[in-house]
Amino acid sequence: SRLKKIVHNITKHLDRSDNWKFELAASLSQIGCVTIPNQVLAKAARGEVVSVAEEKMLAKHPELGARLVQKIPQLEDVAQMIAQQNKLSKGPFPVPPNERDTVELGVQLLKMAVFFEHKISMGSEPERAFQLMIRSYDPALMEMLGRVTSEEKKRARISIPDLALGMVLEENIYNNEGKLVIDKGTTITQSMMDFLLILDANAGVRQPFLVIV
């Protein structure tokens, strides 16, 4: 997942034996969303206003995800990271990342990755997303994230006629009725481009959408 990639690109600069826990927490951080209707997830992903009931559903997904993960042996720390992923982490941060408590550091990494990924999925350039975060998170971790932004591939928001082979979807594609058509992370093939052209001519497809070019 993209969250795992972001966390990996930060933790590869750390000298710790528990980096695998941070990456696993990132991979499983959204598992609680399986209980949320796709229409609600789609609204949240597009930045649309959700109802009070929908907001409560979205707010509970970390707790639900943690319950699922904590049943797995040796993943207690990972479950706590998932449960606390929305917890505010206010500075200062006197303990260096390499010496910080596993769960505490994991929560900070998850929050950073989720915010960064969300801003990019909404169309922000990595550099802009980074600037929005720079005063809110641990400077040492932000310095590592800054290296990630410099490594990011070019992203573009395009429509179906502009698709090309090898592009990677940076967000889900939905038809005009809000039904999921193709998952985020999919690599574009010729058959997929043909399918989208036909679908757009008949049922309509929401566009533009974000891709890695």
Side-chain angles (χ1 to χ4, degrees):
S1 71
R2 179 166 173 77
L3 290 176
K4 178 182 177 182
K5 178 182 176 183
I6 294 170
V7 169
H8 170 75
N9 285 338
I10 297 174
T11 57
K12 69 183 181 182
H13 301 294
L14 296 174
D15 183 19
R16 299 182 61 119
S17 62
D18 52 2
N19 282 347
W20 67 272
K21 293 183 179 181
F22 307 135
E23 294 184 31
L24 187 57
S27 295
L28 300 176
S29 62
Q30 308 302 302
I31 194 172
C33 291
V34 297
T35 62
I36 303 174
N38 286 336
Q39 298 91 327
V40 178
L41 292 174
K43 286 173 65 177
R46 294 192 298 268
E48 297 178 4
V49 177
V50 296
S51 68
V52 174
E54 291 169 339
E55 187 174 1
K56 289 181 178 179
M57 277 192 283
L58 292 166
K60 288 187 67 176
H61 90 78
E63 176 187 347
L64 296 173
R67 288 179 189 172
L68 294 172
V69 174
Q70 70 185 6
K71 298 176 183 179
I72 305 174
Q74 301 182 354
L75 294 190
E76 293 83 3
D77 285 349
V78 174
Q80 288 188 55
M81 294 176 203
I82 293 172
Q84 299 177 45
Q85 63 184 278
N86 291 334
K87 178 182 177 181
L88 292 176
S89 301
K90 295 184 177 180
F93 303 94
V95 181
N98 282 330
E99 302 171 17
R100 201 165 299 165
D101 172 76
T102 297
V103 173
E104 179 186 354
L105 180 59
V107 170
Q108 293 164 356
L109 288 168
L110 270 185
K111 284 188 66 66
M112 289 175 65
V114 169
F115 185 93
F116 189 66
E117 193 277 338
H118 175 68
K119 289 300 180 184
I120 290 177
S121 69
M122 293 297 291
S124 293
E125 290 296 322
E127 293 80 6
R128 173 57 179 163
F130 178 83
Q131 290 300 322
L132 291 172
M133 301 170 62
I134 201 165
R135 295 185 179 180
S136 303
Y137 296 91
D138 176 11
L141 295 178
M142 286 302 299
E143 189 273 333
M144 297 174 195
L145 180 63
R147 303 181 199 178
V148 176
T149 63
S150 66
E151 298 168 358
E152 286 290 317
K153 295 182 180 179
K154 182 180 179 182
R155 285 165 174 77
R157 190 165 291 279
I158 65 174
S159 298
I160 291 174
D162 300 315
L163 279 172
L165 293 176
M167 289 182 174
V168 179
L169 295 179
E170 277 291 270
E171 59 187 9
N172 294 333
I173 294 183
Y174 300 89
N175 66 16
N176 283 344
E177 296 177 353
K179 182 179 179 180
L180 178 64
V181 175
I182 303 178
D183 290 323
K184 175 182 175 180
T186 301
T187 300
I188 297 299
T189 62
Q190 184 61 54
S191 60
M192 197 171 296
M193 288 192 291
D194 295 339
F195 165 72
L196 286 171
L197 284 169
I198 295 171
L199 181 64
D200 190 36
N202 290 278
V205 174
R206 292 179 178 174
Q207 47 193 312
F209 39 78
L210 196 65
V211 298
I212 295 177
V213 299

